[in-house]
Each structure stands twice: as structure tokens, then as C-alpha cells.
Amino acid sequence: GENVEQHPSTLSVQEGDSAVIKCTYSDSASNYFPWYKQELGKRPQLIIDIRSNVGEKKDQRIAVTLNKTAKHFSLHITETQPEDSAVYFCAAGVGGSYIPTFGRGTSLIVHP
Amino acid sequence: EAGVAQSPRYKIIEKRQSVAFWCNPISGHATLYWYQQILGQGPKLLIQFQNNGVVDDSQLPKDRFSAERLKGVDSTLKIQPAKLEDSAVYLCASSYTRGAQETQYFGPGTRLLVL
């Protein structure tokens, strides 16, 4: 089955800095890679996703990159704000018959 | 659009007792998932339904956990008997597929504490 590794487990940055979270996956059949943000005590919410037919996708301050050859994908947050503080999860699966495997999460702390 | 609904939101039971969780997915979503999220970890898929059929239940501890989605809409997840290590948040999610694109939405979760 799919195995997703996520690093780092904790990331502490100053407001305005950039943050990068990296994930690797094992199953070359995976073609759908979503990222979720989970605030304390709340549900995971989809913030951005990428499919294997594209290498990069941007949405305002967040971007995701995908390297299928190396089987890794990354989340980039620019101009971080205190409200970006949360746990971020990556996941991988096969779109259309999606059975997702999640990473262990990265706790992002943005200091004002 | 109404979101995924779950109940109860919190449950405290003693070990060896039974407990059941309920999930109502977003209307029209054919796929329903149950996840277990232990504190400090990512969600772990327990079972996935497509309409009323099971797609994957390979990580469901079938000696104590069971789930059903009889009419292809609401679903229940049951634990009988509960163990201390079952303390976790149980998340329900639903998704729709448009072509090869899948979008998944999570419910608020049920926090279970087993004493």
C-alpha cells in the first residue's frame, strides 16, 4: 500500500517568512495529492491539491509543487501570518477511486 | 451547502463498553470514509464506502469495529468492546468524483475517550 512521509513534524517561523513542508510517497500509481489544514479542535479542511498532470499550482499565498520522478510534493506558504498557525497534512491517492493515505502532519507556528 | 454531519460530538465510556457514531454525508456524495485520528497523528482510514458497498476496510480492526451504510447515505461506526487505545477523534468524510477529480470534505468529528 501507499506510504506517505511528511517533514518536518514542527515548523516555527516569524510572521512574514516563508514556510515549506515536504512529503514523499511510495506508490507510483498515486496521482492526486491534497493538502489539509487542521486548526486545534477542528476538522481538516482542504486548502490546495495537485494532480500528476501538473508540476505546480498556486492559490494566493500558497503553492504546491510535485515531482513525480522523485515521488515528492511540497507545500509552500509565503508571507506567513499568525492565522496560518495550524497542523498541515499531506495525502496521496489515486483520483477517481480515491483511497487516501495521510502524512503524520506538520505543526506550523507563526510568531507575530 | 450543508456539510458533513456527525454525532455525538463527544463521548466518554469505560473500556469494554460499546459505542456507536453516526455520520450524514453531503447530499449527493457517493463516497463516505471513516477515519481514526489519534492525538498528534494524521487521520488513518478505517473504512471507505462507495454508495452502500465497501471499497476498502483493510485497516478496520474487524474483531471490535464494524460499520455500515445500508441505504447508501448515512453511516454508523460501532466499537464493541472498546479498549483504552481506541481513544481518538473519529472523522467522517464524504466526497464526490467529477471525472477523475475527487474532492473530500470532513465532518467535525466525534471525540471518544475510553477510561
Side-chain angles (χ1 to χ4, degrees), chain A residues 32 36 38 41 98-100, chain B residues 35 37 48 102 104 106-107 111:
Chain A
Y32 176 58
Y36 294 86
Q38 187 174 30
Y98 183 51
I99 301 176
Chain B
Y35 291 90
Q37 187 175 25
Q48 178 181 354
E102 193 92 25
Q104 190 179 46
F106 282 86
R111 292 183 181 278

Side-chain angles (χ1 to χ4, degrees), chain A residues 23-94:
Chain A
C23 288
T24 60
Y25 62 99
S26 61
D27 189 349
S28 56
S30 290
N31 60 5
Y32 176 58
F33 308 93
W35 285 89
Y36 294 86
K37 176 183 180 182
Q38 187 174 30
E39 296 176 359
L40 190 62
K42 296 189 176 180
R43 74 191 76 185
Q45 294 205 309
L46 180 70
I47 55 171
I48 195 167
D49 57 17
I50 193 167
R51 301 174 198 278
S52 61
N53 57 339
V54 296
E56 183 176 359
K57 184 176 178 181
K58 282 186 179 181
D59 183 3
Q60 298 183 350
R61 295 187 297 108
I62 60 173
V64 57
T65 58
L66 171 65
N67 183 328
K68 278 213 76 182
T69 304
K71 295 202 193 82
H72 68 71
F73 55 112
S74 301
L75 178 71
H76 304 252
I77 306 174
T78 58
E79 300 171 29
T80 53
Q81 300 167 4
E83 51 266 37
D84 294 330
S85 296
V87 178
Y88 291 80
F89 293 98
C90 63
V94 179

Side-chain angles (χ1 to χ4, degrees), chain B residues 6-40:
Chain B
Q6 288 187 249
S7 67
R9 294 295 308 276
Y10 305 92
K11 190 73 178 179
I12 301 174
I13 61 172
E14 294 188 349
K15 60 183 179 183
R16 291 188 289 275
Q17 286 187 322
S18 301
V19 64
F21 312 129
W22 174 82
C23 173
N24 179 240
I26 293 173
S27 177
H29 283 196
T31 309
L32 184 148
Y33 312 78
W34 282 104
Y35 291 90
Q36 180 192 59
Q37 187 175 25
I38 293 172
L39 189 64

Side-chain angles (χ1 to χ4, degrees), chain B:
Chain B
E1 172 181 274
V4 177
Q6 288 187 249
S7 67
R9 294 295 308 276
Y10 305 92
K11 190 73 178 179
I12 301 174
I13 61 172
E14 294 188 349
K15 60 183 179 183
R16 291 188 289 275
Q17 286 187 322
S18 301
V19 64
F21 312 129
W22 174 82
C23 173
N24 179 240
I26 293 173
S27 177
H29 283 196
T31 309
L32 184 148
Y33 312 78
W34 282 104
Y35 291 90
Q36 180 192 59
Q37 187 175 25
I38 293 172
L39 189 64
Q41 298 182 19
K44 177 184 128 181
L45 181 69
L46 294 175
I47 189 167
Q48 178 181 354
F49 292 96
Q50 179 79 13
N51 297 308
N52 61 349
V54 175
V55 175
D56 184 280
D57 63 356
S58 57
Q59 298 192 86
L60 186 74
K62 297 180 184 65
D63 58 333
R64 299 184 300 106
F65 286 63
S66 64
E68 59 183 15
R69 193 184 185 200
L70 292 176
K71 296 182 179 179
V73 181
D74 294 2
S75 177
T76 55
L77 176 69
K78 296 179 182 177
I79 308 175
Q80 180 180 5
K83 292 185 175 181
L84 297 177
E85 57 262 36
D86 298 332
S87 295
V89 176
Y90 290 84
L91 293 163
C92 179
S94 69
S95 68
Y96 68 89
T97 303
R98 183 174 296 151
Q101 301 198 19
E102 193 92 25
T103 303
Q104 190 179 46
Y105 298 86
F106 282 86
T110 296
R111 292 183 181 278
L112 174 67
L113 179 61
V114 182
L115 302 175

